[in-house]
Amino acid sequence: MRIALGVGGGIAAYKAAELARLLIQRGHQVQVIMTSGAQEFITPLTFATLTGRKTITGLFSNVSPEATLASAVEHIAVAQENDILLVAPATANIMSHFAHGLADDFLSTLYLAFTGPVVLAPAMNVNMWAHPATQANFETLTKRGHVLVAPPEGFLACGMTGPGRLAEPADIADAVERELNPVSDYADETVLITAGPTEEPVDPVRFLSNRSSGKMGYALAQEALNRGARVILISGPVALTAPRGVDLIQVRTAQEMHDAVFASLDGVTMVIKCAAVSDFQAASVPAEKMKKTTANFSMELEPTVDILAELGRAKGDWVLVGFAAETGNLEQEAKRKLAEKNCDMIVGNLVGTSTTGFGSDENEVVLVTKSGTTEVPRATKREVAERILTEALTLRHAS
Ligand code: C5P
């Protein structure tokens, strides 16, 4: 395959040389485009030697008075010739250019002209990564369908420790190959996924709910769809657009979610209960809005139907995956739920004080099955979804 590799101006630029070599070893053709910042860290000659092709260094670098039309519109040709655009390291500046459609150098111009898949491997200082501006760009680019190979935590050249390092070249190359050769290992599966929070009415205008954004469940739906599954997505109220191609059933309360789940089980081979279902509902809901009062008052709550536990009791041929959102004792709680709710796997994630989990675009989970625990380090929810589905499919084949 033909890969356009954009190299940004950061200290991690030297690792892009190893990445280029690895991609070539794996049989791809690599066309490197360096930003002017990247050329301060590593020379175009390094990449030209590794790839056997001229390194592109600027929009106008080849445009001489005798220039041909071909060299003047080189960015269009590169856009048409390549199967994928990879940027590593993707600096905060590049992410910002891409997110906002600024085109003032070869790489950002190529990006706008390119219609194929885009993989970005960010690398920058911890604070730059955590800045709301960078995180907003990250979200925009993820929503646009681009793959972001999240920066793992570790020691950074600036002397700080935290997320910001470039991912390992082999992991970046794997992400590129997954985009180029989509797997269809879920072609025989019908996956029912629940996502988002539920809302339990307290009176006609108020409700009990939680901070679930639905992002993890929607990432699972997208990933299962990409891998060839038929997907039934039963979703509580969220501000997300459902992936194109899913059978979407929108619900509000735990009871509605329960009814939708049990009405949809026919032909299902896997159930993933990602929704953060409210554990309590009001014992009675008045027909009129409750009046404001200055005195304290109590409200009687009763447990909602435990959909996962009922699924565990009714357990059919399908693989059953539950979630455990905890604020502590993660593995222990996940193990307890695995046994109590008769699940095949529990995905445990820390919520509350953590910067992953509810609302975030990233997650860090443990996958607990009867045969042991696998830790999935902090990654984008899409990458975490990929890991969950791979593990769940192994269980399905073993059953
Ligand atoms: O016991 P806990 O509520 O923490 O378990 C979380 C798991 O149970 C999640 O998979 C969630 O979707 C599911 N659940 C459910 N029905 C409820 C509460 C939780 O299916 N009423």
Side-chain angles (χ1 to χ4, degrees):
M1 292 286 191
R2 301 172 77 129
I3 300 168
L5 169 59
V7 181
I11 182 62
Y14 78 94
K15 287 196 195 164
E18 193 188 334
L19 177 60
R21 192 183 55 86
L22 190 64
L23 291 168
I24 284 166
Q25 267 176 3
R26 294 192 186 184
H28 304 291
Q29 294 177 40
V30 179
Q31 170 64 63
V32 173
I33 302 104
M34 297 179 80
T35 63
S36 55
Q39 293 163 55
E40 301 289 331
F41 289 94
I42 181 168
T43 70
L45 184 61
T46 308
F47 288 107
T49 313
L50 287 169
T51 63
R53 291 165 179 267
K54 175 194 74 168
T55 300
I56 297 173
T57 52
L59 253 188
F60 306 109
S61 51
N62 304 311
V63 185
S64 61
E66 312 80 52
T68 61
L69 179 64
S71 62
V73 291
E74 196 177 20
H75 55 286
I76 307 292
V78 174
Q80 285 167 347
E81 280 165 12
N82 284 281
D83 301 301
I84 195 162
L85 171 61
L86 164 65
V87 183
T91 58
N93 188 38
I94 291 177
M95 287 174 61
S96 175
H97 270 69
F98 284 13
H100 299 282
L102 295 177
D104 60 1
D105 66 0
F106 195 100
L107 186 56
S108 52
T109 310
L110 166 64
Y111 169 73
L112 289 186
F114 189 68
T115 55
V118 177
V119 175
L120 303 168
M124 66 198 72
N125 159 276
V126 182
N127 295 340
M128 289 175 77
W129 172 249
H131 195 284
T134 309
Q135 289 298 310
N137 291 333
F138 173 85
E139 195 170 335
T140 302
L141 295 166
T142 309
K143 278 199 186 125
R144 212 171 274 166
H146 301 336
V147 174
L148 276 104
V149 188
E153 301 220 3
F155 179 74
L156 297 167
C158 57
M160 295 172 80
T161 305
R165 300 180 59 186
L166 185 70
E168 287 308 314
D171 292 336
I172 300 172
D174 287 349
V176 166
E177 289 185 332
R178 271 196 303 274
E179 281 303 290
L180 289 170
N181 311 302
V183 279
S184 50
D185 53 355
Y186 264 71
D188 296 332
E189 309 300 323
T190 298
V191 187
L192 188 160
I193 298 168
T194 68
T198 64
E199 289 178 359
E200 310 302 328
V202 166
D203 71 11
V205 297
R206 302 184 176 96
F207 56 80
L208 294 172
S209 192
N210 59 64
R211 293 186 194 283
S212 168
S213 64
K215 286 178 181 172
M216 190 66 240
Y218 278 56
L220 280 160
Q222 179 71 68
E223 189 59 25
L225 210 62
N226 290 352
R227 288 163 73 162
R230 180 186 161 223
V231 179
I232 304 164
L233 178 61
I234 299 179
S235 176
V238 294
L240 301 172
T241 311
R244 260 221 314 244
V246 300
D247 295 335
L248 177 69
I249 304 174
Q250 286 169 309
V251 296
R252 196 172 159 224
T253 63
Q255 188 62 49
E256 284 173 23
M257 185 172 277
H258 167 274
D259 296 348
V261 167
F262 278 87
S264 309
L265 283 175
D266 203 23
V268 162
T269 59
M270 199 178 279
V271 179
I272 307 183
K273 285 275 325 86
C274 187
V277 184
S278 174
D279 290 324
F280 297 98
Q281 62 193 20
S284 66
V285 181
E288 302 293 329
K289 183 182 166 195
M290 285 193 283
K291 293 286 172 225
K292 180 174 167 180
T293 155
T294 47
N296 292 355
F297 80 102
S298 334
M299 207 170 69
E300 195 185 338
L301 299 178
E302 61 185 22
T304 53
V305 52
D306 190 329
I307 310 166
L308 186 61
E310 275 201 21
L311 284 165
R313 280 193 287 275
K315 193 136 182 340
D317 266 352
W318 21 270
V319 164
L320 182 57
V321 180
F323 272 66
E326 305 292 341
T327 49
N329 287 341
L330 186 58
E331 193 178 345
Q332 202 180 318
E333 283 303 304
K335 280 186 175 154
R336 185 177 62 76
K337 277 180 196 167
L338 184 76
E340 255 175 29
K341 303 202 182 187
N342 193 23
C343 291
D344 300 295
M345 174 160 74
I346 291 283
V347 181
N349 68 320
L350 277 179
V351 292
T353 53
S354 151
T355 53
T356 58
F358 279 7
S360 163
D361 288 310
E362 297 187 327
N363 215 348
E364 182 176 353
V365 302
V366 291
L367 307 181
V368 177
T369 66
K370 283 171 199 129
S371 49
T373 301
T374 313
E375 287 187 18
V376 180
R378 186 191 176 114
T380 60
K381 285 189 170 166
R382 182 156 167 190
E383 289 170 295
V384 173
E386 209 177 289
R387 294 286 302 271
I388 294 169
L389 290 179
T390 300
E391 186 79 19
L393 197 61
T394 312
L395 296 170
R396 166 121 171 86
H397 290 153
S399 67

mmCIF file of all heavy atoms in Angstrom, residues 34 60 98 109 211 246 352 356 367 379 381 395:
data_model
loop_
_atom_site.group_PDB
_atom_site.id
_atom_site.type_symbol
_atom_site.label_atom_id
_atom_site.label_comp_id
_atom_site.label_asym_id
_atom_site.label_seq_id
_atom_site.Cartn_x
_atom_site.Cartn_y
_atom_site.Cartn_z
ATOM 1 N N MET A 34 7.737 16.491 5.186
ATOM 2 C CA MET A 34 8.199 17.075 6.455
ATOM 3 C C MET A 34 7.698 18.508 6.564
ATOM 4 O O MET A 34 7.725 19.256 5.576
ATOM 5 C CB MET A 34 9.729 17.088 6.510
ATOM 6 C CG MET A 34 10.335 15.710 6.468
ATOM 7 S SD MET A 34 12.138 15.798 6.515
ATOM 8 C CE MET A 34 12.433 16.038 8.257
ATOM 9 N N PHE A 60 6.292 25.048 -2.013
ATOM 10 C CA PHE A 60 6.886 25.677 -3.197
ATOM 11 C C PHE A 60 8.342 25.269 -3.400
ATOM 12 O O PHE A 60 9.036 25.836 -4.209
ATOM 13 C CB PHE A 60 6.762 27.204 -3.085
ATOM 14 C CG PHE A 60 5.347 27.625 -2.850
ATOM 15 C CD1 PHE A 60 4.942 28.124 -1.620
ATOM 16 C CD2 PHE A 60 4.397 27.477 -3.845
ATOM 17 C CE1 PHE A 60 3.623 28.487 -1.408
ATOM 18 C CE2 PHE A 60 3.068 27.829 -3.639
ATOM 19 C CZ PHE A 60 2.677 28.335 -2.409
ATOM 20 N N PHE A 98 -5.335 20.898 11.041
ATOM 21 C CA PHE A 98 -6.257 19.916 10.452
ATOM 22 C C PHE A 98 -7.682 20.155 10.964
ATOM 23 O O PHE A 98 -8.639 20.133 10.201
ATOM 24 C CB PHE A 98 -5.823 18.487 10.809
ATOM 25 C CG PHE A 98 -4.633 17.977 10.027
ATOM 26 C CD1 PHE A 98 -3.833 18.820 9.278
ATOM 27 C CD2 PHE A 98 -4.324 16.614 10.047
ATOM 28 C CE1 PHE A 98 -2.735 18.338 8.563
ATOM 29 C CE2 PHE A 98 -3.244 16.115 9.340
ATOM 30 C CZ PHE A 98 -2.439 16.974 8.597
ATOM 31 N N THR A 109 -2.152 21.310 3.360
ATOM 32 C CA THR A 109 -2.832 21.419 2.065
ATOM 33 C C THR A 109 -3.184 20.023 1.554
ATOM 34 O O THR A 109 -4.289 19.773 1.082
ATOM 35 C CB THR A 109 -1.913 22.144 1.050
ATOM 36 O OG1 THR A 109 -1.436 23.332 1.667
ATOM 37 C CG2 THR A 109 -2.639 22.493 -0.223
ATOM 38 N N ARG A 211 -23.673 10.746 34.810
ATOM 39 C CA ARG A 211 -22.813 11.491 33.877
ATOM 40 C C ARG A 211 -22.414 10.708 32.622
ATOM 41 O O ARG A 211 -21.553 11.152 31.876
ATOM 42 C CB ARG A 211 -21.529 11.909 34.589
ATOM 43 C CG ARG A 211 -21.729 12.910 35.686
ATOM 44 C CD ARG A 211 -20.375 13.345 36.219
ATOM 45 N NE ARG A 211 -20.515 14.056 37.471
ATOM 46 C CZ ARG A 211 -20.919 15.323 37.551
ATOM 47 N NH1 ARG A 211 -21.209 15.996 36.472
ATOM 48 N NH2 ARG A 211 -21.022 15.891 38.730
ATOM 49 N N VAL A 246 -26.375 1.116 12.124
ATOM 50 C CA VAL A 246 -26.845 0.364 13.295
ATOM 51 C C VAL A 246 -28.378 0.404 13.325
ATOM 52 O O VAL A 246 -28.997 1.304 12.766
ATOM 53 C CB VAL A 246 -26.321 0.922 14.650
ATOM 54 C CG1 VAL A 246 -24.825 0.900 14.719
ATOM 55 C CG2 VAL A 246 -26.868 2.310 14.927
ATOM 56 N N GLY A 352 -15.202 8.915 38.209
ATOM 57 C CA GLY A 352 -15.195 9.809 39.372
ATOM 58 C C GLY A 352 -14.032 10.749 39.269
ATOM 59 O O GLY A 352 -14.049 11.694 38.492
ATOM 60 N N THR A 356 -10.281 9.621 32.784
ATOM 61 C CA THR A 356 -10.838 8.746 31.759
ATOM 62 C C THR A 356 -12.256 8.401 32.213
ATOM 63 O O THR A 356 -12.710 8.844 33.247
ATOM 64 C CB THR A 356 -9.998 7.467 31.620
ATOM 65 O OG1 THR A 356 -9.958 6.827 32.893
ATOM 66 C CG2 THR A 356 -8.620 7.760 31.128
ATOM 67 N N LEU A 367 -10.237 -6.049 31.778
ATOM 68 C CA LEU A 367 -11.181 -7.025 31.234
ATOM 69 C C LEU A 367 -11.092 -8.258 32.121
ATOM 70 O O LEU A 367 -10.053 -8.912 32.172
ATOM 71 C CB LEU A 367 -10.820 -7.388 29.793
ATOM 72 C CG LEU A 367 -10.640 -6.215 28.817
ATOM 73 C CD1 LEU A 367 -10.317 -6.721 27.414
ATOM 74 C CD2 LEU A 367 -11.871 -5.335 28.788
ATOM 75 N N ALA A 379 -6.268 4.556 26.521
ATOM 76 C CA ALA A 379 -6.284 4.658 25.060
ATOM 77 C C ALA A 379 -7.595 5.322 24.654
ATOM 78 O O ALA A 379 -8.471 5.530 25.496
ATOM 79 C CB ALA A 379 -6.187 3.260 24.443
ATOM 80 N N LYS A 381 -11.360 5.653 23.259
ATOM 81 C CA LYS A 381 -12.458 4.709 23.469
ATOM 82 C C LYS A 381 -12.586 3.768 22.271
ATOM 83 O O LYS A 381 -12.975 2.621 22.422
ATOM 84 C CB LYS A 381 -13.756 5.462 23.775
ATOM 85 C CG LYS A 381 -13.726 6.006 25.207
ATOM 86 C CD LYS A 381 -15.008 6.591 25.717
ATOM 87 C CE LYS A 381 -14.856 6.854 27.222
ATOM 88 N NZ LYS A 381 -15.903 7.709 27.791
ATOM 89 N N LEU A 395 -14.074 -15.361 23.500
ATOM 90 C CA LEU A 395 -15.009 -16.069 24.383
ATOM 91 C C LEU A 395 -16.112 -16.738 23.582
ATOM 92 O O LEU A 395 -16.551 -17.840 23.885
ATOM 93 C CB LEU A 395 -15.631 -15.095 25.384
ATOM 94 C CG LEU A 395 -14.666 -14.453 26.379
ATOM 95 C CD1 LEU A 395 -15.353 -13.344 27.151
ATOM 96 C CD2 LEU A 395 -14.122 -15.507 27.359
#
